[in-house]
Amino acid sequence: GEAFYGEKNPQTKEKKTKEEKSKEMESLVTKAYKNYFNQTNQNNINILQSYLNNGMKEKLIIRAMKITNKKNKSFNYCRGILKNWSDDGINEIKDLNKMHEDPLKATISDEEIRELVDGG
């Protein structure tokens, strides 16, 4: 049979406030930044945060970092990707798949995101 873990069952969690949710996302993007760029640069993290605040989904922001990392480019390259996407009105991965040939041919899996959250 299936085992149910009360903690992991989303129904048992209370609805998070918008502020809590945005803090959570912020830390996800921050963790991804540390993971892909091996540093903590608050200015850069603030730039990423501003995209998040403007409605871009964290998975898409993390995708930009992932592409940058795969190409061994600097953060400026990542900024360029985000600016292009933002200018094109792309805010989430499905927009990207619709409008652009996807450079990495794979969306970021929930598993990868969990790794980042749980200490990747």
Side-chain angles (χ1 to χ4, degrees):
E2 287 182 60
F4 284 100
Y5 301 98
E7 273 175 73
K8 289 199 174 153
N9 186 344
Q11 272 87 30
T12 61
K13 281 216 170 106
E14 306 214 356
K15 273 207 177 355
K16 293 197 170 76
T17 67
K18 223 177 168 166
E19 202 176 300
E20 282 178 309
K21 248 192 135 60
S22 110
K23 276 221 174 72
E24 223 170 70
M25 284 187 203
E26 177 182 4
S27 66
L28 190 61
V29 166
T30 302
K31 283 186 166 113
Y33 178 83
K34 289 175 187 166
N35 182 58
Y36 288 122
F37 293 99
N38 278 316
Q39 53 157 302
T40 311
N41 178 319
Q42 199 51 53
N43 285 341
N44 291 350
I45 289 167
N46 289 346
I47 289 164
L48 297 174
Q49 186 58 30
S50 70
Y51 282 100
L52 201 56
N53 294 342
N54 288 325
M56 194 177 274
K57 296 276 188 287
E58 74 270 28
K59 274 191 182 185
L60 189 64
I61 296 170
I62 292 169
R63 168 66 73 85
M65 289 190 258
K66 189 176 187 177
I67 292 167
T68 304
N69 179 270
K70 278 252 195 310
K71 292 175 176 280
N72 288 313
K73 302 278 191 184
S74 73
F75 183 75
N76 279 341
Y77 186 86
C78 181
R79 253 183 113 163
I81 294 175
L82 291 171
K83 186 180 184 325
N84 290 343
W85 285 346
S86 179
D87 291 348
D88 287 344
I90 295 171
N91 282 314
E92 51 190 309
I93 287 191
K94 66 180 171 62
D95 299 336
L96 191 65
N97 294 342
K98 271 192 306 224
M99 290 181 68
H100 283 263
E101 183 73 4
D102 188 335
L104 283 183
K105 291 281 178 252
T107 56
I108 291 184
S109 69
D110 290 333
E111 194 182 331
E112 282 177 272
I113 285 205
R114 269 197 302 278
E115 273 172 34
L116 286 172
V117 175
D118 297 340

